[in-house]
Amino acid sequence: MWVVFGSEALHLIWLKMEYKEYQEKVQHKIRLLEETIRRLERGESIDDNLRDEIRVFLAGNKHSEDVDED
């Protein structure tokens, strides 16, 4: 019985950690989109670093070196 409770407790801890990581990723995407929109509204160009970061998020990868250049 204690094994079941321990297993469920660990499962809940992992779910909580995964949800926190998800929230952090979403907040980063929101900040990235807000910055992009702000620059476009001002008529500024989007630099290569920001373009690469957008490309990474659209591809769903964590590192820009994993994304193939088109």
Side-chain angles (χ1 to χ4, degrees), residues 9-22:
L10 286 174
H11 182 68
L12 289 174
I13 289 170
W14 280 108
L15 283 175
K16 185 177 178 181
M17 289 172 42
E18 288 175 359
Y19 183 69
K20 185 175 181 177
E21 288 176 8
Y22 169 76

Side-chain angles (χ1 to χ4, degrees), residues 2-70:
W2 291 108
V3 172
V4 173
F5 288 136
S7 176
E8 287 301 313
L10 286 174
H11 182 68
L12 289 174
I13 289 170
W14 280 108
L15 283 175
K16 185 177 178 181
M17 289 172 42
E18 288 175 359
Y19 183 69
K20 185 175 181 177
E21 288 176 8
Y22 169 76
Q23 284 181 319
E24 290 172 358
K25 287 179 185 179
V26 168
Q27 288 301 317
H28 185 70
K29 287 180 182 182
I30 290 170
R31 283 191 302 271
L32 178 65
L33 288 172
E34 286 174 344
E35 181 180 349
T36 304
I37 291 169
R38 226 180 352 261
R39 286 183 179 202
L40 291 174
E41 285 178 341
R42 288 188 219 148
E44 298 176 7
S45 64
I46 297 176
D47 59 1
D48 290 336
N49 291 334
L50 185 57
R51 185 174 289 128
D52 288 341
E53 195 169 352
I54 293 169
R55 200 174 284 138
V56 168
F57 276 112
L58 290 176
N61 293 326
K62 293 182 181 179
H63 303 289
S64 61
E65 57 267 13
D66 293 340
V67 178
D68 293 332
E69 291 291 326
D70 291 329

